[in-house]
Amino acid sequence: MTEFFLPELPRLLPVAYHPKATQIEFRSNGWVRSHLADCFANEEDLLSFLRQRNGLYGPLTVPYTDEQRALNVADWYQYVTVIDSFVSDRSALGADEAGARDMFADIMDDFHGDGGGREDFPYGTAGKELWRRISPGLSPHQIRRFAGALEAFLRGCVTEIRFKLTEQVPDYETCMSVRLDSFGCDFIRLMTEYAAGVDMTGRDRLLADVHTHCMRQMITVNDLLSWRKEHAQNDKMTVARVLIEREGLGLQQCVDRLRELVDHHERAYIAARDEMLNGRHGKRADIRAYLNGLDHLIGGSAEFEYLTPRYFGDGYVWDGSTSGWISLTAPVTRFRARPHTDTGTESSRPQATTPSMTRS
């Protein structure tokens, strides 16, 4: 099969755009050009990246913070998305696990202030410029956590490279464990705290169920909506690949299972959030602000993944559709009411299977 039917996802959480979303996106794209352009092989590769609209991810996930913090968050997500893009590219970082390890070690050295600060290392200079802006808004505890969060992200990226180069597909829980790192879950939580002006350090046990279902929901939505891109790049560290190659599901069965998992984790997150809000900690202003931030993180992240050409092809323009047939092979796809057949005619959707959801 080269097409699959994307069913409606639950989308039970709010979506809001920052009032200055357009300005922030433009300014953030300008920051990428001025600080990270040398990471790209040529101008066209840079322009293709900028057309992905990654500068909107921040305004969608932290819509109610002040403009400067929203811009800082947008630039941070652009920074790690540049790294992620080259990790997935076998003509770049994705071709050499040892080389990626060395480069990531340089990033961490610069982050800790131990690097040489050389001007020809854009990842280091861009990271330090961002850190100068973000760190004043973090507590000492959060600053220590941030270093660990960046290191976890880079470690997850290296692990993904190893699985791709060795042509290995992990089991479900191994995949999810690595994705918690490579998806950047630790710094995603920190960016949510930063935008809300709160510090959740030391509250991991209290928020364990909230975080588990929040992050698994986001990863599963991402692995579903980005499947065209990951399929084309032969990415091994994605839940869709695990379900197809390790568990033997067909393409449509995989999509339907992922939809079930999204629904399960989204509803379980809401239940855990409501239990927290109705419990003895629910009246705390910082807890309420943080949970509101997570709501918008989940809702805004999904909105971004529908609209970005990163997943649907350079030149894709979202028309607001959230369900339909998607081509795995077309250079640019869109959500269609009916699929194309090999003869060029259209047919109705086949009956999709609905296997029982077995994971939590």
Side-chain angles (χ1 to χ4, degrees), residues 202-344:
R203 299 194 177 277
D204 284 355
R205 291 182 63 184
L206 181 66
L207 295 164
D209 288 344
V210 167
H211 286 154
T212 293
H213 294 294
C214 169
M215 296 306 163
R216 289 194 174 218
Q217 190 274 359
M218 292 177 66
I219 289 168
T220 308
V221 169
N222 177 262
D223 284 7
L224 175 55
L225 295 182
S226 70
W227 177 233
R228 267 177 44 91
K229 168 181 170 289
E230 313 304 347
H231 175 269
Q233 295 178 333
N234 198 29
D235 196 332
K236 304 299 183 183
M237 196 62 65
T238 171
V239 177
R241 182 79 66 183
V242 171
L243 294 178
I244 291 171
E245 296 194 22
R246 286 291 293 259
E247 302 197 7
L249 297 189
L251 176 59
Q252 190 61 54
Q253 287 179 311
C254 168
V255 170
D256 292 339
R257 175 75 66 83
L258 289 171
R259 197 273 179 197
E260 286 185 334
L261 289 167
V262 170
D263 185 77
H264 167 71
H265 288 301
E266 192 160 324
R267 293 179 188 279
Y269 162 78
I270 291 170
R273 177 206 64 190
D274 287 348
E275 183 178 359
M276 176 70 63
L277 288 173
N278 294 326
R280 64 189 183 91
H281 299 282
K283 297 189 185 305
R284 291 182 57 106
D286 57 345
I287 292 286
R288 299 185 75 85
Y290 179 62
L291 293 176
N292 182 63
L294 290 182
D295 283 359
H296 284 284
L297 170 68
I298 296 171
S301 183
E303 178 89 351
F304 172 79
E305 289 170 359
Y306 282 112
L307 69 81
T308 176
R310 181 175 179 84
Y311 301 145
F312 301 109
D314 193 5
Y316 165 83
V317 177
W318 190 38
D319 64 3
S321 300
T322 53
S323 177
W325 286 91
I326 295 174
S327 170
L328 282 177
T329 56
V332 180
T333 193
R334 63 186 177 90
F335 298 100
R336 299 180 55 84
R338 295 179 180 274
H340 284 298
T341 66
D342 292 340
T343 61

Side-chain angles (χ1 to χ4, degrees), residues 144-214:
R144 286 192 291 272
R145 287 169 55 203
F146 209 103
L150 178 57
E151 189 166 13
F153 167 67
L154 299 177
R155 180 176 63 245
C157 289
V158 169
T159 304
E160 291 203 4
I161 292 172
R162 183 188 316 126
F163 272 85
K164 181 180 288 189
L165 293 179
T166 57
E167 297 290 329
Q168 296 181 63
V169 178
D171 61 72
Y172 184 91
E173 288 301 333
T174 298
C175 177
M176 190 60 72
S177 176
V178 174
R179 292 287 281 135
L180 288 169
D181 285 343
S182 65
F183 197 70
C185 291
D186 288 346
F187 64 64
I188 285 173
R189 287 164 48 186
L190 275 164
M191 287 292 96
T192 305
E193 293 174 37
Y194 170 75
V198 298
D199 184 355
M200 293 291 106
T201 302
R203 299 194 177 277
D204 284 355
R205 291 182 63 184
L206 181 66
L207 295 164
D209 288 344
V210 167
H211 286 154
T212 293
H213 294 294
C214 169

Side-chain angles (χ1 to χ4, degrees), residues 106-117:
D106 288 343
I107 290 175
M108 290 307 302
D109 285 346
D110 276 353
F111 184 84
H112 289 297
D114 301 327

Side-chain angles (χ1 to χ4, degrees), residues 72-142:
N72 295 345
V73 171
D75 289 351
W76 173 260
Y77 284 131
Q78 293 255 43
Y79 175 65
V80 294
T81 303
V82 169
I83 295 174
D84 178 73
S85 296
F86 291 119
V87 165
S88 301
D89 185 351
R90 292 202 186 199
S91 67
L93 282 176
D96 183 359
E97 180 185 346
R101 284 186 184 278
D102 289 343
M103 196 201 79
F104 294 160
D106 288 343
I107 290 175
M108 290 307 302
D109 285 346
D110 276 353
F111 184 84
H112 289 297
D114 301 327
R118 63 185 193 276
E119 294 183 0
D120 64 342
F121 186 53
Y123 294 106
T125 56
K128 285 192 291 188
E129 194 278 334
L130 270 174
W131 190 238
R132 282 195 293 270
R133 285 190 273 145
I134 293 172
S135 56
L138 300 175
S139 73
H141 293 301
Q142 289 172 312

